[in-house]
Amino acid sequence: MISHLGAMISVVNGMLFARRLRNISGVVGATSIGDGGTSTGSFHEAINLAAVEKLPLVLVVANNEYAYSTPTSRQFACRNLVDKAIGYGVGGHSVDGTDLAACLKGVSEAVQLAREGRGPQLIVARLLRLCGHGEHDDAGYVDPRLKQSALGRDCLKVAEAQLLQRGWADAQTLELWRSEATQKVEEAVATVQREPTPDPYAEDWRALASPHLLEAREPKPG
């Protein structure tokens, strides 16, 4: 599951708990959030719960140096974002977010540790967001020196070059992947656009979802 919001961690926690209750082992849950998400209360509550219960969670934090326009220097006082792992008692890993091989290695090791029962694993990947959060955001607040540094590399371009150099894929395969991804996105958008809008008059606006609880609140005849 991927989201920039810290609240996504709780969702994965719930899925892992459900599998534990069903005695399903060997499962690892993963999600990815942004560095700004680590400054929220939902992040704290969820990562703390995952640590206490030793859930096999792998959390990837994309440290892109800015939470919208707020630099990391104004988000946390620790030297490195991965240092937060120590406080929660979870495994911490740092990777170069612009290096595909490094990311694959780091995530693979974290997944293995989580699967072995070593509890949650926090991965911090450093990179730079090369555009704004939306069309309204020109990202003019980004330090030009960062753009000129290794963090300012286009991750996808670097990954493509590595795939070709290491022989993991050829140019034809890369083009096929790009075409398939584009098609899936367009199909998803088209499906949503064809769906009718919700009819508020057809919805059941009960505050209680369980019918027997609703019936218990209704006055009995006589």
Side-chain angles (χ1 to χ4, degrees):
M1 306 183 73
I2 300 176
S3 172
H4 63 286
L5 301 176
M8 291 306 299
I9 308 172
S10 294
V11 176
V12 180
N13 285 354
M15 296 167 66
L16 292 173
F17 260 122
R19 282 158 178 76
R20 175 180 290 180
L21 293 175
R22 295 182 179 183
N23 294 318
I24 300 175
S25 59
V27 177
V28 174
T31 186
S32 177
I33 66 174
D35 54 276
T38 67
S39 299
T40 63
S42 56
F43 166 84
H44 163 74
E45 293 176 355
I47 195 68
N48 183 65
L49 173 64
V52 171
E53 295 294 336
K54 292 190 178 301
L55 296 177
L57 168 73
V58 173
L59 173 60
V60 180
V61 178
N63 180 8
N64 53 39
E65 311 303 316
Y66 290 87
Y68 198 159
S69 60
T70 304
T72 54
S73 61
R74 301 296 297 171
Q75 287 188 68
F76 50 84
C78 51
R79 183 177 59 180
N80 192 302
L81 187 55
V82 75
D83 292 341
K84 286 192 175 185
I86 300 174
Y88 291 104
V90 305
H93 314 265
S94 295
V95 298
D96 180 353
T98 67
D99 186 331
L100 174 63
C103 289
L104 291 174
K105 182 176 183 294
V107 172
S108 178
E109 292 175 351
V111 168
Q112 185 62 32
L113 290 171
R115 184 169 281 124
E116 292 174 353
R118 304 282 288 276
Q121 305 296 315
L122 173 66
I123 303 173
V124 176
R126 287 195 69 197
L127 66 158
L128 184 65
R129 178 163 40 82
L130 302 181
C131 59
H133 268 260
E135 294 184 0
H136 64 283
D137 180 12
D138 64 1
Y141 45 80
V142 176
D143 188 339
R145 292 173 296 182
L146 284 176
K147 295 182 179 180
Q148 301 302 319
S149 70
L151 288 177
R153 300 187 298 175
D154 188 325
C155 301
L156 292 181
K157 294 297 183 182
V158 175
E160 288 182 4
Q162 286 191 347
L163 288 170
L164 295 172
Q165 292 170 0
R166 294 171 179 264
W168 292 346
D170 54 30
Q172 184 177 0
T173 302
L174 291 177
E175 183 56 37
L176 177 61
W177 290 346
R178 185 180 295 104
S179 176
E180 290 177 345
T182 301
Q183 182 179 353
K184 288 181 179 180
V185 171
E186 291 180 347
E187 288 177 352
V189 172
T191 299
V192 173
Q193 290 178 335
R194 287 194 301 266
E195 293 178 348
T197 57
D199 182 358
Y201 298 101
E203 297 295 329
D204 188 355
W205 299 101
R206 291 182 298 185
L208 296 173
S210 302
H212 71 280
L213 293 177
L214 183 66
E215 294 168 1
R217 290 174 60 88
E218 294 177 348
K220 296 181 180 180

